[in-house]
Amino acid sequence: MSKPDILLIGPYPEWDLLELEAQYNVRKLYEAEDRDAFVQDHADGIRAIATRGELGAPAELIGRLPKLEIVSVYGVGYDAVNLDACRARGIRVTNTPDVLTNDVADLGVAMMLLQSRGMIGAETWVKDGSWGTKGLYPLKRRVWGRKVGVLGLGRIGFEVAKRLKGFDMDIAYSDVSAKPYAEGLTFIADPVELARHSDFLFVTLAASAATRHIVSKDVIEALGPDGMLINISRASNIDEDALLDALEAGALGSAALDVFEGEPKLNPRFLKLDNVLVQPHHASGTIETRKAMGKLVRDNLAAHFAGAALPTPVI
Ligand code: 8YV
């Protein structure tokens, strides 16, 4: 039987690519000099898209692939896949939940610690000789025992909260409703009130049109000049212009961000700020998790082409 054609939107690790190439004709969109012509040339054969969380699959691309049956996302977030376009044609969509939850939570907590204790600046202080010439490093803010808000108590938010209990933090959360599994956590429905209550605000909710800019100017201002915003979800959950304005003006104390509008390019205003820790969207970026994500992408594709139940369907 001939191998099905799949369109790979962005690069995967070599170990995944080798496995995929054994099963499929992998058409690498990201290598094409003229992407438009590439899609045109392969459109009639493509039965699956393999993509990444932040790259998704736009309606325009889906519309150009008449044989498309499934979009498999290497990532838990599928906000960049046009679900309406898929639904309209019965195209299945899968993602990679669970396998990345702990690593994403770990990175969020690490960013909070790093930023609050000024560890990046402290390393520079040692390496550039300031320790010897200027003396003691400026004092920073403690983490343990302080107040934290978790915006979105899904799988990742829950794991963040679980870790923060170990720092004896006073933890509150916001979600569409109170969660039965949120033992020991305070429910504060309104994100502005949650921010007002918090020293640290974690953004851990799945992005959708409904959550766009849920972290608004008001939320940012309520977090205030001593507050820290940590985002390990999607940039679209935050009003980035309001965030930059607040960081520049000192209306928000600091931020630790793994995701950006238009990434991997980011607004150059971020690069001028001392009170922001920037990371290259790598919260799920461990070898162990990425291997598990790749396997889940392949398992979903294999199940689909075998006519079996999909392991992790979105639709
Ligand atoms: C990326 C993510 O998919 O899980 C998600 O939603 O955004 C990430 O895990 C990953 O960085 C690969 O691009």
Side-chain angles (χ1 to χ4, degrees):
M1 231 177 62
S2 67
K3 295 178 186 177
D5 289 8
I6 69 171
L7 184 67
L8 188 55
I9 307 288
Y12 281 4
E14 192 61 21
W15 55 68
D16 288 322
L17 193 56
L18 290 174
E19 299 264 4
L20 283 176
E21 281 177 331
Q23 304 296 328
Y24 308 100
N25 296 315
V26 181
R27 312 296 185 200
K28 297 172 194 150
L29 182 63
Y30 54 96
E31 282 186 353
E33 262 174 39
D34 181 343
R35 292 189 179 209
D36 205 46
F38 186 86
V39 171
Q40 187 72 27
D41 288 349
H42 295 291
D44 282 343
I46 304 284
R47 295 175 62 194
I49 285 178
T51 187
R52 301 201 319 235
E54 71 277 29
L55 302 174
E60 184 270 337
L61 178 64
I62 293 166
R64 294 181 65 192
L65 304 174
K67 305 260 169 58
L68 187 65
E69 298 164 25
I70 181 168
V71 177
S72 191
V73 181
Y74 177 84
V76 66
Y78 48 82
D79 51 302
V81 177
N82 192 306
L83 290 189
D84 289 342
C86 292
R87 266 193 207 101
R89 282 178 42 206
I91 295 167
R92 305 298 306 273
V93 178
T94 65
N95 66 342
T96 62
D98 300 318
V99 294
L100 46 63
T101 303
N102 286 311
D103 279 338
V104 175
D106 281 356
L107 194 94
V109 172
M111 293 199 308
M112 173 187 71
L113 286 166
L114 218 70
Q115 181 70 331
S116 198
R117 300 299 301 271
M119 290 173 70
I120 302 277
E123 191 191 45
T124 306
W125 193 260
V126 175
K127 287 188 171 167
D128 74 5
S130 297
W131 194 10
T133 54
K134 297 183 190 159
L136 294 175
Y137 185 60
L139 300 180
K140 299 296 172 184
R141 296 301 305 270
R142 83 161 40 140
V143 166
W144 71 267
R146 294 179 72 205
K147 289 185 174 160
V148 64
V150 180
L151 183 53
L153 200 73
R155 286 172 283 226
I156 293 171
F158 180 79
E159 286 300 324
V160 166
K162 197 169 105 186
R163 283 155 177 70
L164 299 182
K165 283 182 184 172
F167 292 96
D168 289 333
M169 298 184 88
D170 170 352
I171 308 167
Y173 72 100
S174 174
D175 209 311
V176 283
S177 60
K179 301 291 173 198
Y181 51 79
E183 211 182 307
L185 313 187
T186 310
F187 177 61
I188 301 178
D190 178 8
V192 176
E193 286 313 313
L194 181 74
R196 208 184 308 290
H197 178 268
S198 304
D199 298 310
F200 302 93
L201 183 65
F202 280 83
V203 188
T204 50
L205 38 74
S208 67
T211 66
R212 186 174 164 74
H213 292 189
I214 187 167
V215 179
S216 60
K217 185 172 187 285
D218 289 348
V219 170
I220 292 165
E221 286 177 2
L223 193 53
D226 280 330
M228 182 191 299
L229 184 70
I230 300 117
N231 191 10
I232 45 173
S233 61
R234 284 287 187 271
S236 63
N237 283 331
I238 295 181
D239 181 339
E240 209 174 74
D241 288 331
L243 173 64
L244 280 159
D245 290 345
L247 285 167
E248 284 168 358
L252 175 67
S254 63
L257 309 167
D258 188 43
V259 284
F260 301 87
E261 289 290 359
E263 62 185 53
K265 274 198 194 149
L266 52 157
N267 190 320
R269 288 167 70 193
F270 279 117
L271 306 179
K272 297 201 184 97
L273 288 165
D274 289 334
N275 53 353
V276 63
L277 172 72
V278 292
Q279 295 285 292
H281 194 157
H282 72 138
S284 68
T286 65
I287 292 167
E288 296 88 343
T289 280
R290 289 288 168 85
K291 285 199 167 171
M293 288 163 65
K295 180 165 184 315
L296 209 38
V297 165
R298 291 194 302 281
D299 288 351
N300 276 293
L301 290 173
H304 173 76
F305 287 113
L310 302 178
T312 49
V314 172
I315 56 173

